[in-house]
Amino acid sequence: RESKHHFVSHMMASGREEEEFFSELYSEERIAAFEKLSGEGYIGSQGQAVTEEIAPLLRLKEGDRVLDVGSGIGGFAFYLAKNFGADVLGLDVSSDVIRAARRRAAKADLGKGRATFDEIDVMKVVFSPATFDAVVIRSALMHFPYKNKAPTLKRAFEWLKPGGRLMLNDMCTVQDISFPELDEHMKKRHWYLLSLSECQQLVENAGFRCVEIKDRYETYLRLINEEIVQVEDRREELLRALISDMWKCYWFKPTVSFH
């Protein structure tokens, strides 16, 4: 099998508890609020800015098939379709998120590309070997329980065509560093973080070669600080949308910073 490429910038959950968490988190009201902060088509931090930075790394050409795991409401998929002419399939476990993605897809100008979305756990979906030219897992693997990370990456390897690329863009932790505030935050948010070296080992064990690691800490820190300014400028507007105490604390009263 030819070499495959993996890109990590930092660092779909499986199980009923995680599915219920994301179903509550990504209600239509909160999706709308996230878009106000992250940009149209995005429900995660750094939306469009990160997309423009990392999308070219996939080296897509018109007609390439891309699997977007944990696709959210479609921002990254739409960008790949419109700017590269890719045929993108997005997967997510949240029914609210998938409905929102499909509504946006119906109105989006995708040029020569295409973006479709399915509500399904990546651990349950079935594809034939060598189906995709690229697999993207962006801000999603961190939500997979540790036991599901390796099987997911092995499935991605089998689904890729020879010479295909895996892009893994997510949050990592510093190895052997832990403190109570971080542990509690990770538990509430269903974060299962790896260090960069642990992530690299999982990827290589799945069969990938030509693994390239890129630590985006400085970029991430700059973008987060920019978002904090935006939040402060629009505090009341966003507070009305993000009404839970957890989100008020997380977005507006940060006491711990880690990347």
Side-chain angles (χ1 to χ4, degrees):
R1 183 183 289 257
E2 297 178 22
S3 296
K4 298 181 178 181
H5 297 271
H6 166 73
F7 301 88
V8 177
S9 290
H10 286 266
M11 234 289 345
M12 221 172 305
S14 179
R16 181 173 300 275
E17 182 181 355
E18 286 86 357
E19 291 180 15
E20 291 176 352
F21 171 79
F22 288 111
S23 178
E24 177 182 352
L25 177 61
Y26 295 131
S27 65
E28 183 60 33
E29 292 78 12
R30 288 187 179 177
I31 287 173
F34 287 136
E35 279 192 294
K36 291 179 181 179
L37 181 63
S38 302
E40 186 174 353
Y42 297 96
I43 51 178
S45 180
Q46 318 166 61
Q48 186 67 26
V50 173
T51 289
E52 293 173 357
E53 178 188 348
I54 68 176
L57 298 176
L58 286 168
R59 304 193 308 279
L60 297 175
K61 60 183 183 298
E62 186 176 325
D64 276 356
R65 299 194 65 189
V66 180
L67 179 65
D68 186 359
V69 178
S71 55
I73 60 175
F76 195 59
F78 299 148
Y79 187 89
L80 298 182
K82 181 175 183 179
N83 291 277
F84 300 95
D87 181 358
V88 187
L89 172 60
L91 305 182
D92 210 290
V93 296
S94 168
S95 57
D96 291 317
V97 161
I98 291 297
R99 283 194 294 269
R102 288 172 175 168
R103 285 195 297 271
R104 285 154 178 78
K107 302 175 183 178
D109 174 13
L110 302 181
K112 296 182 179 180
R114 190 167 74 112
T116 56
F117 301 90
D118 284 339
E119 179 195 348
I120 190 167
D121 191 326
V122 71
M123 292 294 292
K124 300 175 183 177
V125 70
V126 177
F127 296 112
S128 299
T131 295
F132 298 99
D133 298 283
V135 174
V136 175
I137 309 178
R138 177 179 174 182
S139 300
L141 194 70
M142 59 190 284
H143 295 298
F144 284 66
Y146 292 115
K147 66 179 181 180
N148 289 343
K149 295 182 189 294
T152 296
L153 295 175
K154 289 180 180 178
R155 288 163 69 83
F157 182 86
E158 293 302 320
W159 293 335
L160 280 166
K161 299 175 184 179
R165 280 94 50 208
L166 169 70
M167 174 179 285
L168 179 59
N169 175 254
D170 224 324
M171 186 179 293
C172 282
T173 187
V174 178
Q175 196 166 15
D176 299 327
I177 297 293
S178 178
F179 50 91
E181 294 89 346
L182 172 59
D183 294 341
E184 182 63 22
H185 188 79
M186 289 173 58
K187 181 178 179 180
K188 288 181 178 179
R189 300 282 297 146
H190 294 275
W191 286 1
Y192 307 93
L193 304 185
L194 300 171
S195 68
L196 277 173
S197 60
E198 290 170 333
C199 183
Q200 180 175 357
Q201 189 63 57
L202 278 180
V203 171
E204 292 176 346
N205 289 346
F208 290 93
R209 298 296 179 262
C210 301
V211 177
E212 180 180 339
I213 301 294
K214 183 178 181 183
D215 186 346
R216 295 182 56 257
Y217 168 78
E218 294 298 335
T219 300
Y220 180 86
L221 185 61
R222 173 178 59 80
L223 292 171
I224 287 295
N225 285 333
E226 290 174 1
E227 287 189 353
I228 290 174
V229 173
Q230 293 180 50
V231 168
E232 290 298 329
D233 290 343
R234 305 169 63 185
R235 175 189 295 265
E236 296 303 321
E237 175 189 359
L238 294 171
L239 274 174
R240 285 193 295 270
L242 302 174
I243 60 176
S244 79
D245 290 338
M246 179 185 72
W247 279 98
K248 288 180 184 178
C249 175
Y250 181 69
W251 284 105
F252 302 103
K253 300 177 183 177
T255 57
V256 178
S257 177
F258 54 91
H259 311 280

